[in-house]
mmCIF file of all heavy atoms in Angstrom:
data_model
loop_
_atom_site.group_PDB
_atom_site.id
_atom_site.type_symbol
_atom_site.label_atom_id
_atom_site.label_comp_id
_atom_site.label_asym_id
_atom_site.label_seq_id
_atom_site.Cartn_x
_atom_site.Cartn_y
_atom_site.Cartn_z
ATOM 1 N N VAL A 234 55.642 115.626 120.793
ATOM 2 C CA VAL A 234 55.344 115.258 119.487
ATOM 3 C C VAL A 234 55.617 113.729 119.284
ATOM 4 O O VAL A 234 56.787 113.395 119.564
ATOM 5 C CB VAL A 234 56.101 116.104 118.446
ATOM 6 C CG1 VAL A 234 55.776 115.705 116.982
ATOM 7 C CG2 VAL A 234 55.823 117.573 118.603
ATOM 8 N N ALA A 327 68.086 100.288 116.668
ATOM 9 C CA ALA A 327 66.939 99.616 117.358
ATOM 10 C C ALA A 327 66.241 98.672 116.374
ATOM 11 O O ALA A 327 65.871 97.544 116.711
ATOM 12 C CB ALA A 327 65.996 100.585 118.015
ATOM 13 N N GLU A 331 65.921 94.499 116.205
ATOM 14 C CA GLU A 331 64.561 93.963 116.229
ATOM 15 C C GLU A 331 63.843 94.388 117.549
ATOM 16 O O GLU A 331 63.041 93.659 118.140
ATOM 17 C CB GLU A 331 64.516 92.437 116.211
ATOM 18 C CG GLU A 331 65.174 91.974 114.876
ATOM 19 C CD GLU A 331 64.887 90.489 114.563
ATOM 20 O OE1 GLU A 331 65.062 89.679 115.487
ATOM 21 O OE2 GLU A 331 64.506 90.119 113.431
#
Side-chain angles (χ1 to χ4, degrees):
V234 180
E331 299 193 314

